[in-house]
Amino acid sequence: MGRTKMKAFAILMASALALTLTACNNGQSASPGNSGSKGGDVASKEVTITFQNINPDPSTPSYKMIKQIVSQYEQNHPNVKIELDSLNTDQQKLKLKTQAAAKEVPDITIVNPAAQMKPFVDAGLLAPLNDVADKDGLKDTFQDGLLNYYSFDDKLYAFPDGNNIEVVFYNKELFTQAGIQKLPTTFDELITAVKALKAKGITPIAIGEKDSWTGSLLFMNILLRTNEGPNFLKDVLDGKKTFNDPAFVEAVDAFQELVQAGAFPDGATSIDYNAGGNIFKTGKAAMYIMGTWETGSIDASSVAGKVGAFQFPTVNGKGDVNEYVIAPGSAFAVSANSEHLQETKDFLHYFITEMPKIQFDLKNAIGSGQKMKGDLKEAGYSELAINLNELFKNVKGGDLAFDNTMNPAIAQAHLSSIQNLFVQKEDSAQVAKEHQSAFEANK
């Protein structure tokens, strides 16, 4: 995506997140009398739909949202059983890859946008969902341009669960304990804060790097700054730059400085995403550099009311703090080989229709990909959520995650390379060279 187009999309995204737009229709279209099935005998046959998802933690609002909508649907459709297969992100990716190889994709599964989902589309494993999107104007409930990340050749293959930016969540009490009086606006100040926290015996930054995308997402913030703006990876793809570019080498250097300063928990590569997040949510770490999809979960945790957020700082005087790593959400896709294709589509239509209303009620609307109606303050949202909504209004643009931009083979080489930096220090120029070699071998 070009810089101009990204900026335009980000502005649209921000304005949508003011949460003053079109209300949802509360799911009336998916009532038992309008299920989309043909024939009375079809409506009464017993159907089991397997719903693979990445919300295994019962304490999170997203888990509660899924359970609530599934329960509602099963009550309204006694002949339909929704079987949940709830996994953490990396487990789900691995399982889906195995299922895809056997052409046994679950009725509903989770895919990620752009480059990550394209192989499943190319293999004919996912069903086009244009008919679902067109029914009752469902596609118009999404922010303008968002569904493009999940579409190929004018066919939509998935509905996203959100659209987020990556921020630095911080624990105000732990910052005070460490004597940090000013939020870091430069990378040097971030390193200083890390050292001050470390000196007080506080884990500076929570992370679960067993799920290797977490370190990559953090790294992309640094690259966005050292490149002095978005599109480094696009320029590599277009042949305008290589990974040997000074901006990339500088980003690796800065990332390693963070690691060497002791920013992360010991054994970070053996801690998975959920456990890493819980280090922050239980008050054991001072910062958590993650997408705004975590807002509702943080507000439902023991650190609720103690957390603020700030933009990732400039690096060596470079970058604009209002440019973010932008994360179009993971998304719900349907197997092209589902034995109950129509019934699965009917349920997914109901699910996506209900999702924004339930998320809003669960105080989990920040980072939604759908237009919401409601006043955050009046609805009892936290100060954190309201502040983040203000950040969304000033988004100027940004970059997608590495693995949403490069093909899976190149992305895997990158993920492994960044993960290795948590274990041992490497020559930054050599890390860049290895990235370039992987790119040339797999482009």
Side-chain angles (χ1 to χ4, degrees), residues 9-24:
F9 169 64
I11 291 168
L12 287 167
M13 175 185 79
S15 62
L17 277 158
L19 307 183
T20 56
L21 300 178
T22 310
C24 305

Side-chain angles (χ1 to χ4, degrees), residues 207-210 264-272 279 422-423:
I207 199 167
E209 181 57 11
K210 184 177 181 180
F264 305 106
D266 292 337
T269 57
S270 63
I271 302 169
D272 70 17
I279 295 173
F422 284 85
V423 179

Side-chain angles (χ1 to χ4, degrees), residues 49-332:
I49 295 170
T50 302
F51 184 1
Q52 192 174 85
N53 65 88
I54 53 171
N55 298 105
D57 186 348
S59 70
T60 63
S62 294
Y63 175 95
K64 294 172 184 175
M65 175 270 295
I66 289 177
K67 292 287 284 187
Q68 182 173 336
I69 298 176
V70 165
S71 177
Q72 289 173 188
Y73 194 81
E74 288 179 337
Q75 287 177 18
N76 292 337
H77 302 75
N79 62 304
V80 178
K81 169 69 176 172
I82 310 297
E83 191 173 89
L84 295 176
D85 181 21
S86 303
L87 308 161
N88 71 36
T89 304
D90 271 17
Q91 287 174 339
Q92 187 271 332
K93 283 184 179 180
L94 184 61
K95 186 171 184 178
L96 179 59
K97 189 179 293 186
T98 302
Q99 292 169 324
K103 298 190 183 302
E104 295 177 351
V105 173
D107 297 300
I108 298 175
T109 191
I110 298 295
V111 294
N112 286 286
Q116 284 198 68
M117 65 181 289
K118 191 172 187 297
F120 300 106
V121 173
D122 290 346
L125 296 171
L126 305 181
L129 299 175
N130 297 64
D131 54 336
V132 180
D134 289 340
K135 183 180 176 183
D136 303 320
L138 185 60
K139 66 182 177 184
D140 296 326
T141 69
F142 286 88
Q143 295 164 20
D144 294 343
L146 181 56
L147 295 181
N148 293 341
Y149 290 116
Y150 310 88
S151 301
F152 300 86
D153 298 325
D154 296 323
K155 293 180 180 178
L156 174 68
Y157 288 94
F159 291 101
D161 61 5
N163 194 22
N164 293 270
I165 54 176
E166 192 170 13
V167 299
V168 185
F169 294 103
Y170 74 102
N171 185 312
K172 298 175 183 179
E173 289 186 356
L174 296 183
F175 265 46
T176 299
Q177 286 180 31
I180 302 168
Q181 299 178 346
K182 176 180 175 292
L183 294 178
T185 58
T186 70
F187 194 76
D188 287 343
E189 290 174 354
L190 181 62
I191 294 293
T192 299
V194 163
K195 291 178 179 177
L197 290 159
K198 191 79 173 172
K200 289 289 185 178
I202 300 166
T203 299
I205 303 174
I207 199 167
E209 181 57 11
K210 184 177 181 180
D211 294 358
S212 54
W213 62 269
T214 58
S216 170
L217 204 61
L218 195 162
F219 172 81
M220 286 299 294
N221 285 275
I222 300 174
L223 181 60
L224 180 60
R225 300 291 182 254
T226 58
N227 191 56
E228 300 190 72
N231 296 321
F232 180 87
L233 297 182
K234 182 180 184 301
D235 286 345
V236 171
L237 287 167
D238 292 344
K240 297 176 182 177
K241 289 183 178 178
T242 72
F243 283 103
N244 298 315
D245 188 274
F248 191 84
V249 176
E250 184 181 1
V252 176
D253 278 330
F255 185 85
Q256 294 203 97
E257 186 179 355
L258 206 52
V259 174
Q260 296 303 311
F264 305 106
D266 292 337
T269 57
S270 63
I271 302 169
D272 70 17
Y273 170 69
N274 289 326
N278 284 333
I279 295 173
F280 180 78
K281 295 170 200 173
T282 54
K284 296 171 184 173
M287 288 179 278
Y288 188 33
I289 303 174
M290 190 49 64
T292 45
W293 61 78
E294 283 285 358
T295 307
S297 182
I298 290 169
D299 280 338
S301 76
S302 63
V303 296
K306 303 175 184 178
V307 176
F310 60 92
Q311 298 118 315
F312 196 86
T314 59
V315 178
N316 299 328
K318 298 176 182 178
D320 185 331
V321 296
N322 287 314
E323 291 177 331
Y324 294 84
V325 174
I326 295 173
S330 54
F332 304 98

Side-chain angles (χ1 to χ4, degrees), residues 267-437:
T269 57
S270 63
I271 302 169
D272 70 17
Y273 170 69
N274 289 326
N278 284 333
I279 295 173
F280 180 78
K281 295 170 200 173
T282 54
K284 296 171 184 173
M287 288 179 278
Y288 188 33
I289 303 174
M290 190 49 64
T292 45
W293 61 78
E294 283 285 358
T295 307
S297 182
I298 290 169
D299 280 338
S301 76
S302 63
V303 296
K306 303 175 184 178
V307 176
F310 60 92
Q311 298 118 315
F312 196 86
T314 59
V315 178
N316 299 328
K318 298 176 182 178
D320 185 331
V321 296
N322 287 314
E323 291 177 331
Y324 294 84
V325 174
I326 295 173
S330 54
F332 304 98
V334 170
S335 169
N337 300 317
S338 171
E339 293 181 9
H340 310 291
L341 184 57
Q342 187 57 54
E343 290 87 350
T344 300
K345 286 184 173 182
D346 290 342
F347 166 69
L348 185 59
H349 183 278
Y350 179 89
F351 184 90
I352 300 300
T353 300
E354 285 286 285
M355 184 167 65
K357 176 185 179 296
I358 303 297
Q359 291 281 57
F360 189 87
D361 291 345
L362 288 170
K363 309 291 189 293
N364 201 34
I366 298 299
S368 172
Q370 287 171 277
K371 302 168 186 176
M372 299 272 184
K373 180 182 179 181
D375 182 283
L376 294 180
K377 190 171 183 179
E378 189 176 293
Y381 271 72
S382 68
E383 182 182 343
L384 171 64
I386 293 168
N387 288 348
L388 285 170
N389 197 48
E390 291 304 308
L391 291 185
F392 270 105
K393 294 177 183 178
N394 295 313
V395 173
K396 290 183 179 178
D399 277 325
L400 299 184
F402 193 105
D403 53 1
N404 286 337
T405 306
M406 292 289 179
N407 71 46
I410 301 167
Q412 188 54 56
H414 161 76
L415 293 172
S416 298
S417 178
I418 296 299
Q419 188 180 56
N420 185 54
L421 298 182
F422 284 85
V423 179
Q424 60 186 15
K425 189 173 183 180
E426 299 282 354
D427 177 71
S428 298
Q430 182 62 29
V431 172
K433 186 177 180 181
E434 289 168 357
H435 273 74
Q436 186 61 26
S437 295

